[in-house]
Amino acid sequence: MLELKPADYKAEKNPDWCPGCGDFGILSALQMALFELKKDPSRTVVFSGIGCSAKTPHYLNVYGVHTLHGRVLPIAQGAKLAHPHLTVVAVGGDGDGLGIGAGHFVAAGRRNVDMLYILYDNEVYGLTKGQAGPTLGFGEKTKSLPKPNPQGRINPLLLAFAAGYTWIGRGYAYDVKGLKELIKEGILHRGLAFLHVLQPCPTYNDLHTKEWFAPRLYRLQEEGYDPYVPEGLSPEELDGKMALFQAKAAEWGERIPVGVFWRAEAPTFEERLQAYLPRYPGVYPALGQREALDLEG
Ligand code: SF4
């Protein structure tokens, strides 16, 4: 049993995000979640795309891979499939995951690889001076835009649901304790978990600030919302669950819910592979045996 302290998950390098950036809270929550789950740093990998959020692996003392813009999900999924014993967390911003990476976001939902994807949503491309991101609403104008946004916003929760993600949650970057619990649940979920994090960018987004969010956020689970979708529901029961999910996922304005929206059971991609590739490793064999495997069955 590893005897590690929270600080053991922190890298020596200090974050260089802007003062007050929501990324600090997400980093702390992820660090604490890995500690509380007693994750072995030598068997944990955090992957990132490109953007301010993509620096996250630099600040954690676990394995980290800083990949390409929009490509974090295929790379993270590939690593998990090749090494199923790893704990894999992918992180990226809304521009990274829902702009250039939107195709991968949808394709990942069809597979249900056992890992967690955390989307840092600040509605802007912070690393490149605050252009409108895919989650900024139509007609909204941040201080970094010369004109109001002429495009509509993507709803990440509804898109994840349509794509087939089996666990869908939303947290808030300044609620580190609540976010930590959501990250833990997402990591423990068997299948692909999607965690949407509302992440204020005080440098470029002066619309959706922590002062704007504070009076609006409420916890779904404190209002009795049950996200669990057991197998074997009747079509009518499933319709009811889906309708409730969609209503809550679409709620945005005077009230904004956070918490777990959807928790369903379905075979993981690893299990599906095992069904028709008998030699696919459920547990990755010792290094050196990899080459001996014939993944064609
Ligand atoms: Fe954070 Fe925005 Fe600064 Fe990027 S630009 S580090 S998202 S505050």
Side-chain angles (χ1 to χ4, degrees), residues 16-23 51-53 55 122 124-127 199-205:
D16 63 359
W17 292 312
C18 310
C21 177
D23 289 359
C52 298
S53 61
K55 298 176 185 174
N122 57 21
V124 295
Y125 288 87
L127 195 68
Q199 178 248 311
C201 166
T203 301
Y204 294 116
N205 189 337

PDB file of all heavy atoms in Angstrom, residues 16-23 51-53 55 122 124-127 199-205, ligand 1:
ATOM      1  N   ASP A  16       1.599  28.722 -14.170  1.00  0.00           N
ATOM      2  CA  ASP A  16       1.771  30.117 -14.619  1.00  0.00           C
ATOM      3  C   ASP A  16       0.481  30.682 -15.192  1.00  0.00           C
ATOM      4  O   ASP A  16       0.498  31.590 -16.017  1.00  0.00           O
ATOM      5  CB  ASP A  16       2.924  30.239 -15.624  1.00  0.00           C
ATOM      6  CG  ASP A  16       2.672  29.446 -16.897  1.00  0.00           C
ATOM      7  OD1 ASP A  16       1.611  28.780 -16.992  1.00  0.00           O
ATOM      8  OD2 ASP A  16       3.528  29.495 -17.809  1.00  0.00           O
ATOM      9  N   TRP A  17      -0.660  30.117 -14.774  1.00  0.00           N
ATOM     10  CA  TRP A  17      -1.939  30.668 -15.197  1.00  0.00           C
ATOM     11  C   TRP A  17      -2.126  32.070 -14.605  1.00  0.00           C
ATOM     12  O   TRP A  17      -1.504  32.432 -13.586  1.00  0.00           O
ATOM     13  CB  TRP A  17      -3.080  29.767 -14.714  1.00  0.00           C
ATOM     14  CG  TRP A  17      -3.135  28.423 -15.389  1.00  0.00           C
ATOM     15  CD1 TRP A  17      -3.070  28.162 -16.736  1.00  0.00           C
ATOM     16  CD2 TRP A  17      -3.264  27.139 -14.747  1.00  0.00           C
ATOM     17  NE1 TRP A  17      -3.159  26.808 -16.967  1.00  0.00           N
ATOM     18  CE2 TRP A  17      -3.286  26.157 -15.778  1.00  0.00           C
ATOM     19  CE3 TRP A  17      -3.385  26.716 -13.411  1.00  0.00           C
ATOM     20  CZ2 TRP A  17      -3.418  24.794 -15.506  1.00  0.00           C
ATOM     21  CZ3 TRP A  17      -3.516  25.367 -13.145  1.00  0.00           C
ATOM     22  CH2 TRP A  17      -3.523  24.414 -14.180  1.00  0.00           C
ATOM     23  N   CYS A  18      -3.015  32.859 -15.211  1.00  0.00           N
ATOM     24  CA  CYS A  18      -3.278  34.217 -14.713  1.00  0.00           C
ATOM     25  C   CYS A  18      -3.832  34.143 -13.280  1.00  0.00           C
ATOM     26  O   CYS A  18      -4.528  33.186 -12.927  1.00  0.00           O
ATOM     27  CB  CYS A  18      -4.323  34.911 -15.567  1.00  0.00           C
ATOM     28  SG  CYS A  18      -4.024  34.869 -17.333  1.00  0.00           S
ATOM     29  N   PRO A  19      -3.582  35.163 -12.477  1.00  0.00           N
ATOM     30  CA  PRO A  19      -4.161  35.186 -11.126  1.00  0.00           C
ATOM     31  C   PRO A  19      -5.684  35.070 -11.188  1.00  0.00           C
ATOM     32  O   PRO A  19      -6.324  35.708 -12.011  1.00  0.00           O
ATOM     33  CB  PRO A  19      -3.737  36.560 -10.587  1.00  0.00           C
ATOM     34  CG  PRO A  19      -2.534  36.926 -11.383  1.00  0.00           C
ATOM     35  CD  PRO A  19      -2.729  36.325 -12.752  1.00  0.00           C
ATOM     36  N   GLY A  20      -6.235  34.217 -10.353  1.00  0.00           N
ATOM     37  CA  GLY A  20      -7.686  34.053 -10.289  1.00  0.00           C
ATOM     38  C   GLY A  20      -8.256  33.095 -11.314  1.00  0.00           C
ATOM     39  O   GLY A  20      -9.472  32.874 -11.346  1.00  0.00           O
ATOM     40  N   CYS A  21      -7.436  32.510 -12.161  1.00  0.00           N
ATOM     41  CA  CYS A  21      -7.923  31.588 -13.183  1.00  0.00           C
ATOM     42  C   CYS A  21      -8.590  30.370 -12.539  1.00  0.00           C
ATOM     43  O   CYS A  21      -8.087  29.811 -11.556  1.00  0.00           O
ATOM     44  CB  CYS A  21      -6.759  31.123 -14.055  1.00  0.00           C
ATOM     45  SG  CYS A  21      -7.260  29.903 -15.291  1.00  0.00           S
ATOM     46  N   GLY A  22      -9.699  29.933 -13.130  1.00  0.00           N
ATOM     47  CA  GLY A  22     -10.392  28.753 -12.618  1.00  0.00           C
ATOM     48  C   GLY A  22      -9.570  27.478 -12.725  1.00  0.00           C
ATOM     49  O   GLY A  22      -9.853  26.487 -12.043  1.00  0.00           O
ATOM     50  N   ASP A  23      -8.557  27.484 -13.562  1.00  0.00           N
ATOM     51  CA  ASP A  23      -7.729  26.278 -13.720  1.00  0.00           C
ATOM     52  C   ASP A  23      -7.071  25.852 -12.406  1.00  0.00           C
ATOM     53  O   ASP A  23      -6.827  24.663 -12.184  1.00  0.00           O
ATOM     54  CB  ASP A  23      -6.635  26.525 -14.765  1.00  0.00           C
ATOM     55  CG  ASP A  23      -7.183  26.606 -16.186  1.00  0.00           C
ATOM     56  OD1 ASP A  23      -8.403  26.446 -16.368  1.00  0.00           O
ATOM     57  OD2 ASP A  23      -6.382  26.834 -17.101  1.00  0.00           O
ATOM     58  N   GLY A  51      -4.004  24.488 -25.135  1.00  0.00           N
ATOM     59  CA  GLY A  51      -4.762  25.568 -24.509  1.00  0.00           C
ATOM     60  C   GLY A  51      -4.231  25.795 -23.104  1.00  0.00           C
ATOM     61  O   GLY A  51      -3.306  25.106 -22.653  1.00  0.00           O
ATOM     62  N   CYS A  52      -4.830  26.760 -22.400  1.00  0.00           N
ATOM     63  CA  CYS A  52      -4.368  27.011 -21.022  1.00  0.00           C
ATOM     64  C   CYS A  52      -4.500  25.744 -20.177  1.00  0.00           C
ATOM     65  O   CYS A  52      -3.605  25.383 -19.404  1.00  0.00           O
ATOM     66  CB  CYS A  52      -5.179  28.143 -20.407  1.00  0.00           C
ATOM     67  SG  CYS A  52      -5.008  29.728 -21.259  1.00  0.00           S
ATOM     68  N   SER A  53      -5.624  25.048 -20.323  1.00  0.00           N
ATOM     69  CA  SER A  53      -5.860  23.831 -19.535  1.00  0.00           C
ATOM     70  C   SER A  53      -4.831  22.757 -19.817  1.00  0.00           C
ATOM     71  O   SER A  53      -4.587  21.884 -18.988  1.00  0.00           O
ATOM     72  CB  SER A  53      -7.244  23.281 -19.865  1.00  0.00           C
ATOM     73  OG  SER A  53      -7.301  22.959 -21.252  1.00  0.00           O
ATOM     74  N   LYS A  55      -1.831  22.755 -19.784  1.00  0.00           N
ATOM     75  CA  LYS A  55      -0.641  22.740 -18.925  1.00  0.00           C
ATOM     76  C   LYS A  55      -0.847  21.874 -17.681  1.00  0.00           C
ATOM     77  O   LYS A  55       0.100  21.639 -16.928  1.00  0.00           O
ATOM     78  CB  LYS A  55      -0.298  24.177 -18.501  1.00  0.00           C
ATOM     79  CG  LYS A  55       0.031  25.087 -19.680  1.00  0.00           C
ATOM     80  CD  LYS A  55       0.252  26.509 -19.188  1.00  0.00           C
ATOM     81  CE  LYS A  55       0.470  27.459 -20.353  1.00  0.00           C
ATOM     82  NZ  LYS A  55       0.543  28.869 -19.919  1.00  0.00           N
ATOM     83  N   ASN A 122     -14.404  27.710 -20.410  1.00  0.00           N
ATOM     84  CA  ASN A 122     -14.392  29.149 -20.096  1.00  0.00           C
ATOM     85  C   ASN A 122     -14.969  29.981 -21.242  1.00  0.00           C
ATOM     86  O   ASN A 122     -14.921  31.201 -21.213  1.00  0.00           O
ATOM     87  CB  ASN A 122     -12.973  29.619 -19.749  1.00  0.00           C
ATOM     88  CG  ASN A 122     -11.986  29.341 -20.857  1.00  0.00           C
ATOM     89  OD1 ASN A 122     -12.361  29.156 -22.008  1.00  0.00           O
ATOM     90  ND2 ASN A 122     -10.704  29.313 -20.521  1.00  0.00           N
ATOM     91  N   VAL A 124     -13.971  30.742 -24.082  1.00  0.00           N
ATOM     92  CA  VAL A 124     -13.052  31.511 -24.940  1.00  0.00           C
ATOM     93  C   VAL A 124     -11.782  30.695 -25.208  1.00  0.00           C
ATOM     94  O   VAL A 124     -11.499  29.729 -24.511  1.00  0.00           O
ATOM     95  CB  VAL A 124     -12.639  32.859 -24.299  1.00  0.00           C
ATOM     96  CG1 VAL A 124     -13.818  33.790 -24.156  1.00  0.00           C
ATOM     97  CG2 VAL A 124     -11.945  32.642 -22.950  1.00  0.00           C
ATOM     98  N   TYR A 125     -11.040  31.118 -26.228  1.00  0.00           N
ATOM     99  CA  TYR A 125      -9.714  30.549 -26.473  1.00  0.00           C
ATOM    100  C   TYR A 125      -8.714  31.411 -25.698  1.00  0.00           C
ATOM    101  O   TYR A 125      -8.172  32.380 -26.225  1.00  0.00           O
ATOM    102  CB  TYR A 125      -9.397  30.564 -27.970  1.00  0.00           C
ATOM    103  CG  TYR A 125     -10.189  29.555 -28.792  1.00  0.00           C
ATOM    104  CD1 TYR A 125     -11.445  29.870 -29.305  1.00  0.00           C
ATOM    105  CD2 TYR A 125      -9.676  28.287 -29.061  1.00  0.00           C
ATOM    106  CE1 TYR A 125     -12.167  28.955 -30.054  1.00  0.00           C
ATOM    107  CE2 TYR A 125     -10.385  27.357 -29.805  1.00  0.00           C
ATOM    108  CZ  TYR A 125     -11.628  27.695 -30.308  1.00  0.00           C
ATOM    109  OH  TYR A 125     -12.341  26.783 -31.050  1.00  0.00           O
ATOM    110  N   GLY A 126      -8.508  31.074 -24.422  1.00  0.00           N
ATOM    111  CA  GLY A 126      -7.697  31.920 -23.553  1.00  0.00           C
ATOM    112  C   GLY A 126      -6.239  32.022 -23.974  1.00  0.00           C
ATOM    113  O   GLY A 126      -5.627  33.085 -23.864  1.00  0.00           O
ATOM    114  N   LEU A 127      -5.695  30.922 -24.496  1.00  0.00           N
ATOM    115  CA  LEU A 127      -4.258  30.928 -24.820  1.00  0.00           C
ATOM    116  C   LEU A 127      -3.936  31.843 -25.993  1.00  0.00           C
ATOM    117  O   LEU A 127      -2.808  32.300 -26.142  1.00  0.00           O
ATOM    118  CB  LEU A 127      -3.803  29.489 -25.129  1.00  0.00           C
ATOM    119  CG  LEU A 127      -2.303  29.240 -25.134  1.00  0.00           C
ATOM    120  CD1 LEU A 127      -1.727  29.368 -23.735  1.00  0.00           C
ATOM    121  CD2 LEU A 127      -1.982  27.857 -25.685  1.00  0.00           C
ATOM    122  N   GLN A 199     -15.470  27.044 -15.832  1.00  0.00           N
ATOM    123  CA  GLN A 199     -14.142  27.533 -15.433  1.00  0.00           C
ATOM    124  C   GLN A 199     -13.976  29.008 -15.815  1.00  0.00           C
ATOM    125  O   GLN A 199     -13.568  29.321 -16.929  1.00  0.00           O
ATOM    126  CB  GLN A 199     -13.056  26.677 -16.110  1.00  0.00           C
ATOM    127  CG  GLN A 199     -11.632  27.094 -15.827  1.00  0.00           C
ATOM    128  CD  GLN A 199     -10.944  27.659 -17.063  1.00  0.00           C
ATOM    129  OE1 GLN A 199     -10.975  27.073 -18.135  1.00  0.00           O
ATOM    130  NE2 GLN A 199     -10.302  28.805 -16.908  1.00  0.00           N
ATOM    131  N   PRO A 200     -14.319  29.928 -14.928  1.00  0.00           N
ATOM    132  CA  PRO A 200     -14.164  31.341 -15.271  1.00  0.00           C
ATOM    133  C   PRO A 200     -12.743  31.699 -15.718  1.00  0.00           C
ATOM    134  O   PRO A 200     -11.758  31.202 -15.156  1.00  0.00           O
ATOM    135  CB  PRO A 200     -14.525  32.054 -13.960  1.00  0.00           C
ATOM    136  CG  PRO A 200     -15.473  31.109 -13.287  1.00  0.00           C
ATOM    137  CD  PRO A 200     -14.943  29.738 -13.611  1.00  0.00           C
ATOM    138  N   CYS A 201     -12.684  32.541 -16.755  1.00  0.00           N
ATOM    139  CA  CYS A 201     -11.404  33.080 -17.248  1.00  0.00           C
ATOM    140  C   CYS A 201     -11.439  34.578 -16.973  1.00  0.00           C
ATOM    141  O   CYS A 201     -12.011  35.344 -17.756  1.00  0.00           O
ATOM    142  CB  CYS A 201     -11.271  32.821 -18.751  1.00  0.00           C
ATOM    143  SG  CYS A 201      -9.952  33.758 -19.552  1.00  0.00           S
ATOM    144  N   PRO A 202     -10.871  35.017 -15.840  1.00  0.00           N
ATOM    145  CA  PRO A 202     -10.982  36.435 -15.492  1.00  0.00           C
ATOM    146  C   PRO A 202     -10.247  37.361 -16.451  1.00  0.00           C
ATOM    147  O   PRO A 202     -10.522  38.564 -16.480  1.00  0.00           O
ATOM    148  CB  PRO A 202     -10.381  36.509 -14.088  1.00  0.00           C
ATOM    149  CG  PRO A 202      -9.605  35.261 -13.902  1.00  0.00           C
ATOM    150  CD  PRO A 202     -10.200  34.227 -14.807  1.00  0.00           C
ATOM    151  N   THR A 203      -9.364  36.830 -17.267  1.00  0.00           N
ATOM    152  CA  THR A 203      -8.607  37.697 -18.175  1.00  0.00           C
ATOM    153  C   THR A 203      -9.405  38.083 -19.417  1.00  0.00           C
ATOM    154  O   THR A 203      -9.328  39.226 -19.873  1.00  0.00           O
ATOM    155  CB  THR A 203      -7.293  36.998 -18.586  1.00  0.00           C
ATOM    156  OG1 THR A 203      -6.549  36.740 -17.396  1.00  0.00           O
ATOM    157  CG2 THR A 203      -6.461  37.856 -19.523  1.00  0.00           C
ATOM    158  N   TYR A 204     -10.203  37.139 -19.959  1.00  0.00           N
ATOM    159  CA  TYR A 204     -10.874  37.430 -21.222  1.00  0.00           C
ATOM    160  C   TYR A 204     -12.402  37.341 -21.168  1.00  0.00           C
ATOM    161  O   TYR A 204     -13.077  37.865 -22.044  1.00  0.00           O
ATOM    162  CB  TYR A 204     -10.366  36.487 -22.328  1.00  0.00           C
ATOM    163  CG  TYR A 204      -8.925  36.724 -22.666  1.00  0.00           C
ATOM    164  CD1 TYR A 204      -7.968  35.746 -22.442  1.00  0.00           C
ATOM    165  CD2 TYR A 204      -8.511  37.948 -23.184  1.00  0.00           C
ATOM    166  CE1 TYR A 204      -6.635  35.970 -22.733  1.00  0.00           C
ATOM    167  CE2 TYR A 204      -7.172  38.188 -23.482  1.00  0.00           C
ATOM    168  CZ  TYR A 204      -6.240  37.192 -23.249  1.00  0.00           C
ATOM    169  OH  TYR A 204      -4.925  37.431 -23.526  1.00  0.00           O
ATOM    170  N   ASN A 205     -12.939  36.631 -20.194  1.00  0.00           N
ATOM    171  CA  ASN A 205     -14.403  36.481 -20.161  1.00  0.00           C
ATOM    172  C   ASN A 205     -14.962  37.289 -18.990  1.00  0.00           C
ATOM    173  O   ASN A 205     -14.945  36.846 -17.838  1.00  0.00           O
ATOM    174  CB  ASN A 205     -14.783  34.992 -20.022  1.00  0.00           C
ATOM    175  CG  ASN A 205     -16.268  34.764 -20.201  1.00  0.00           C
ATOM    176  OD1 ASN A 205     -17.074  35.674 -20.015  1.00  0.00           O
ATOM    177  ND2 ASN A 205     -16.634  33.551 -20.559  1.00  0.00           N
TER     178      ASN A 205
HETATM  179 FE1  SF4 B   1      -6.843  31.179 -17.184  1.00  0.00          FE
HETATM  180 FE2  SF4 B   1      -7.977  32.778 -18.976  1.00  0.00          FE
HETATM  181 FE3  SF4 B   1      -5.502  33.286 -18.099  1.00  0.00          FE
HETATM  182 FE4  SF4 B   1      -5.946  31.195 -19.677  1.00  0.00          FE
HETATM  183  S1  SF4 B   1      -6.208  33.350 -20.232  1.00  0.00           S
HETATM  184  S2  SF4 B   1      -4.679  31.212 -17.812  1.00  0.00           S
HETATM  185  S3  SF4 B   1      -7.986  30.521 -18.997  1.00  0.00           S
HETATM  186  S4  SF4 B   1      -7.399  33.326 -16.877  1.00  0.00           S
END
